[in-house]
Amino acid sequence: MYQSGHTKSDDLIESARHAREVRSLKRRQESAAIVVQSAVRGHMTRKKIKQEWYKELDELIGYQKKATSKQNSQNQTGAQCENKNLEQTPVKEVEYEKTEVALDQWKFASFGSNTLTGAYGNFAVPLQQTSNAKDKQNSGAKTQNQQPGVKNHTNSATGGFPKTLEKKVSLKVIPNTQLYRIIQKFLFVLHQHQDKDRFLFVCQYLLNNVDKETSTKIAYVALSVHKHLVNVWIKQLKKLLWICCKFIKNIQISKEPDQLSVHLRMLITFTDVNHWKVLKKRTALHPVLSQVCAGILCELQQHGCLSIIAQLLSKNGLALINTSSLQATLTIVSRLMSANKFSDESIIMFSMSVLSVPSLFWHMSIKASQCLQTFLETPTLEKVISLLHVENACSKYGILPQNAKPVHVTQALCMCANLIQILCAEKIILQNKHVDVVMLINQFLCFLNENSSRQKTSASMWHVVLGYFSGNLSEHSDSMHLVKKQIELLWNPLFVKAVFHDVLTLKSLHEEGTIPTQAARISSRQKDKAKFSDKFGSFLKRIASSRPEKVLLPTGGRKMDYVEVKNTCSACLLYRRSLSIFNKQLQLEMLTGLTFMDEVLCRLWRFICEIGSSGGLQLFLSSLMLPPDAAEPIFAVFTLFCDMTAHILSILDDVEFYDQQVPFHLEELVTVSNFLLQFVFKVIWSCIVTDLQSPMYPVFNSAYTLLMMLYDRDARRAFTPNGHWLCKDVKPSTIRGEVEKGVARAKLIMEKIPFIIPHKDRVILFNSFVAADKNLLGISPGNDASIHIRVRRSRLVEDGFDQLSNISSDALKGIIRVKFFNDLGLDEAGIDQDGVFKEFLEEIIKKVFNPDMNLFKVTGGGESKLYPSPLSHMQYNHLDLFSFVGRMLGKAVYEGIVLDIPFANFFLRNLLGQHQAKLYSPLDELPSLDVEFYNNLTWIKRYDGDIADLGLTFTFEEDVMESCTFTHWLITECTLKYSSRPAHLYGVFALLFHPNGLRCSLPPNCRDLYPETMLTWTLLT
């Protein structure tokens, strides 16, 4: 019984639907099985064909794949039998037939059965077996025309196999058309990692083919003139060379040096028609084939070949690359640039990739000098300068990115260093384009100045060029010392002359200088000075000869918009930025190189006197009101002049400064010091500089350093008129009033340049401070709060030390009552109303400064100035005694008691901390210690003969307490062989005193210019 609503027809419909679903599923299973079968069959067929192609290629190039250890253990016996059969099989010779093979046509072979069994059941699948009638005909035919024999291509000097290919193999000689097809098949199945060695053999085979074959039917490059295959051959060659580039990108030079040579030879050989032996005599085809090579190079460049070459040089290290490979890389770079016709894109890529390789051209100059010279003959350098010298061009093209990272800073430094070296090598371009060169290098220096922090932090590392640097230096740490040598070329005489070409060649606007009244005495001594200058070293001799005979004073005449003024400002800006970027050692070397460069400093002073409407000095003062960017080029001239002048003044003795007046007349220095005083005072008084972070602080620091050097010279031996150092713009009472009120600018004035206020006003100011301090502490004559001490005259120092050494500073400032008593314990008559304390202070000072006490010694030469004794340690508690003496001196100054204590100048400078100044020279203070020794050293410096002939030894004798004598031999052997005067001058003059002996240094430009100079010092302990 059927239920209501459900009929027999419904069951039939349901069964039919189910049957349809079953049939549909079966058809899908069959289709899937067919697809799987086809895929498996196709994979197996392709694998078989791939093995056949590999076998065909391996027989051609003589490649034998290295078997794995597993394969060796399993198939060792079978492999031996197979190799034996292969050795007995003769090599088939080929005939030249113009046949073409459809390389993209796959031939599927069956597995021997037309059924495939599996999870989906048994299905009969018809296999379409295609055949080519022409192939069948060729397979059944016998070869009639054969090539005679087989050539053995062994190692040669030009195309030898790498170490991995040293085994002698027999290489078949086949037609180039067949070679093309075999290589095409290989490229179709090439796997870059698995076929690395096989591809290397292919490259070597092609290189031997190009180097040796002269037949147009065999030589591979002869296909470049083949009527039908030329286009596909070019495509194949492009693919081959690009694969070589990819292998170069991933190569490790330390492990695979020979592979690098092969890939580089491929790029060298197949991109130059002159290497194609078979077409060497067909000169008519060379222009067309050269265009083909240029097209190949352009496509390689589009894929990034230049970046790959640069990455190779940078990643692996130039020291690991041999000479031939280094020459090849530079040749490839030259061809890439030439093929792209030195376009802007190629110039930018060259700058970003090749120029950023650390010390690239330094290694090139050593390992590949001829190749480097060939590269310099190309217009690459001129194109780089022409494109990038425009303001902000490097930022515009992305060479100097906006958001810079430490790696960009290192790259910019390397680019700048490489540019400097190749510019020094290409003198003509440097001289002709010196303005553009300065503008270009200024862009790099500005970038380095903005993005390099020279502050020592926990994350910073020491950089041999930049000082403390926040960044990872491990990548290029081995190359930075060579980058430093490249940077040192920045003050090479050739480079300096080119950069300062305008200022060195300008003629003076005022032929007749104005001589002030004080200069009349100088002109009367000109003959004596000329005679004495014969004993100059050549450095100072040239500086003295370049100095004008007449005094130069600011006159003006050159406007700021003149070309020579702009060029000179840019040149000064270049060196000023360099001084702010590089570390202190390079700063001193740069100043030495610039200072001892002929005429630069003197011509720069003349230039300063002539710029502006009334001279550069007034121009500098007026520029203080300009924005920092607008004033930067102007102040670059000023700061560079100050730094160079301060540097040379630090090494001049009194004879050279006062008598010979090198490098300036004293009247000129009076003018300079007067301006510097005004400049420093205006900067402080106008609050232009308030701290070290102020934009104008570097300018202020340079001016202040030179000002203090001139003031110290004048303090030792006056050359300025009376009242020269006093401030004339503001009344001393105004400054004193602001100091008393605690105004910041007035306090900075008293800290930096207190000498602008008369001594009388400074004493008044000091007394007002003392009075205010006493009122704050409640100290007054009527106050009973005082300290009472009792001392014996026979033990004055001991009793005073025991009772006053441990009291507090505030208590020491108070009233101290002194009572003397004799050895019997009886008090002396008298009431202390400050008179007894003054007597006590004078007597105790007299005793402690007596040399017999061995706390202090006196200088020789009749001056008898006091300084701490080196043997004070023989006195018990000598350090505590020094502290006590200092407290007593402070008490005397606090109470206004005048003491006559003649301290030596060098000791006073140490007390003031001036011995740590940037350009402090111990030789300046040597006369205050030993005048005779100072005169002897300065005489040696000006000695005109060979110092080795004097046979000098350096000894130091010391008399201790008139009882024992010690003789210290610091240096017993001094061999100075001078073949040139500049090294003679500086080598002797650079003897500086140190606690452990003497130091001799030679400026880097002397080492470069005069390598034959020898300095040999033997230091004995």
Side-chain angles (χ1 to χ4, degrees), residues 741-781:
K741 294 178 182 178
V743 180
R745 64 178 185 180
K747 292 171 66 176
L748 191 59
I749 288 287
M750 296 304 299
E751 179 184 348
K752 295 292 185 180
I753 47 175
F755 48 81
I756 68 171
I757 302 176
H759 182 265
K760 181 180 67 174
D761 292 275
R762 280 180 277 168
V763 172
I764 295 174
L765 182 61
F766 177 76
N767 291 334
S768 66
F769 283 141
V770 172
D773 188 61
K774 287 183 176 181
N775 291 333
L776 183 63
L777 296 175
I779 301 173
S780 62

Side-chain angles (χ1 to χ4, degrees), residues 259-277:
Q259 294 186 21
L260 174 64
S261 301
V262 172
H263 295 312
L264 289 176
R265 279 195 60 211
M266 283 287 292
L267 294 173
I268 290 291
T269 302
F270 288 100
T271 56
D272 187 4
V273 185
N274 296 322
H275 289 84
W276 301 355
K277 188 176 181 180

Side-chain angles (χ1 to χ4, degrees), residues 345 366 454 499 571 607-608 633 677 778 798 838-839 931 975 991:
E345 292 78 8
I366 297 175
R454 289 163 294 279
V499 169
F607 174 78
I608 291 175
L677 187 63
E798 292 82 352
K838 180 179 180 181
E839 179 186 1
V931 178
T975 305
L991 292 173

